[in-house]
Amino acid sequence: MKKPKSDPKNKSKWQSFLDIQNQEMPQTGMTPRVPVWKKNKATLWHYPVKKKRYSVPLVFIYSLVTKPFILDLGPGNSLIETFGKEGYEVYLLDFGIPGFEDGNISIDDYILDYIQKAVQRVLRHSGAKEVTLLGSCIGGTLAAMYATIAEEPIKNLILSVAPIDFEHVPQFDQWAEAMREGRVSFDEILDVFQIVPAKAVKSGIRLITSPVYFSPLLSLLYRADDENYVKRWRRFNAWTNDHIPLTSGAVKQMSQDLVLDNKLIKGTLKIRGKKAKLNKIKANLLVIASQNDRLVPNAMISPIMGAVSSLDKTLHLLDSGHAQMHSEDTLPSYYKEWLPERSGPIDQ
């Protein structure tokens, strides 16, 4: 009886797959940039544009729990690079990695001492009269909170998979109920450790999204002989495994004001005594949500559409999950169709 012939292509894929761990890790964050402002661990980065086509600069406000290099994974896989090629002047506020000494930093601090100061610096550095804020995940929540009390001119507010309504937090309804009833409290632990370690943050996210971490390995095996795909996959996988500690001050405030009391959507939130009502937001609003997001489902995002005073507002639903890896030479359609006419096109 003859043995079945092995498929050389499959053998090559297996060999490539097994050899990946021996290859040098591809570099990330390769788009040229310069720091224009720093505070504590945070850095405001400017990405010089070769041919400026729009007068309104774009300011990225990224999450507190993951590193922002997903916005600039590598050549051809960089949202920041693509915005630059389209003629947008881009800035990124990177909050950095907090340590034990930063434990008291609260959400109020991040909004007023970091985001607001960074926006002021962008306005001075760029000479622009207005800015576009693009907030992702918790960074989007912070951007929305800032927009409610901002004295600086915000022309456009873009919120990407940003939780706003915390009535139903995935997988944590029972924890939230126990905390509301006073049966569970983490304050004493937070006071001792001052930060929630990155490993704990990663474990919490895995608890919600764990099923999505198996299928990528299968896609890697299937395309293990595609060098460009492997580089993209490894960069993205490095991002999914590289989390940031949370300060105890931020965790306490988010737990109480957002998760337990849901103050942002209810209109009862205050930021250092200032009323932070969503109806104060009048900027042009683009909200991006996903129908398959296990971490921040659409139900946590879309309620903002009825809470703001913006006359120009759009909700765009994606079919993907929580994190989107940019892998095209052009902007996603929801940016390309919505943003240009609202960004002060410069006559060429």
Side-chain angles (χ1 to χ4, degrees), residues 191-222:
D191 288 340
V192 172
F193 289 98
Q194 289 298 299
I195 60 170
V196 177
K199 287 185 178 180
V201 173
K202 177 180 176 180
S203 297
I205 294 176
R206 287 290 195 273
L207 180 64
I208 302 173
T209 62
S210 55
V212 306
Y213 288 96
F214 293 98
S215 56
L217 285 173
L218 297 178
S219 64
L220 177 63
L221 174 59
Y222 181 73

Side-chain angles (χ1 to χ4, degrees), residues 61 93 188 218 253 335:
I61 309 295
L93 177 58
E188 291 185 5
L218 297 178
Q253 190 172 357
Y335 290 139

Side-chain angles (χ1 to χ4, degrees), residues 256-301:
Q256 188 63 54
D257 289 354
L258 299 181
V259 177
L260 298 183
D261 296 338
N262 207 11
K263 291 181 179 180
L264 181 57
I265 196 66
K266 290 180 178 179
T268 58
L269 181 68
K270 289 185 178 181
I271 300 172
R272 286 189 191 165
K274 297 181 179 180
K275 294 181 179 180
K277 293 179 177 290
L278 289 171
N279 63 11
K280 292 183 178 180
I281 296 177
K282 298 179 181 180
N284 303 325
L285 179 67
L286 173 61
V287 177
I288 302 161
S290 174
Q291 301 181 78
N292 302 311
D293 193 338
R294 293 172 58 88
L295 188 62
V296 185
N298 181 35
M300 295 183 70
I301 304 171

Side-chain angles (χ1 to χ4, degrees), residues 119-167:
V119 170
Q120 292 171 354
R121 186 70 182 93
V122 167
L123 289 168
R124 292 197 302 271
H125 185 267
S126 65
K129 296 180 179 179
E130 301 171 291
V131 299
T132 292
L133 286 187
L134 199 165
S136 299
C137 194
I138 290 296
T141 309
L142 298 182
M145 294 166 74
Y146 160 64
T148 65
I149 54 93
E151 298 175 358
E152 296 71 33
I154 302 173
K155 182 168 186 177
N156 305 307
L157 177 62
I158 302 175
L159 305 178
S160 178
V161 293
I164 299 295
D165 186 346
F166 290 78
E167 181 66 26

Side-chain angles (χ1 to χ4, degrees), residues 47 53 110 166 275 322:
Y47 296 80
R53 296 189 177 95
Y110 278 123
F166 290 78
K275 294 181 179 180
H322 182 71

Side-chain angles (χ1 to χ4, degrees), residues 28 62 64-70 97 198-199 201-202 205-206 213 235-245:
T28 60
Y62 203 66
L64 294 176
V65 298
T66 49
K67 294 182 179 179
F69 69 82
I70 190 177
I97 303 175
K199 287 185 178 180
V201 173
K202 177 180 176 180
I205 294 176
R206 287 290 195 273
Y213 288 96
R235 287 174 174 133
F236 183 74
N237 187 61
W239 174 80
T240 64
N241 287 283
D242 200 355
H243 292 80
I244 298 173

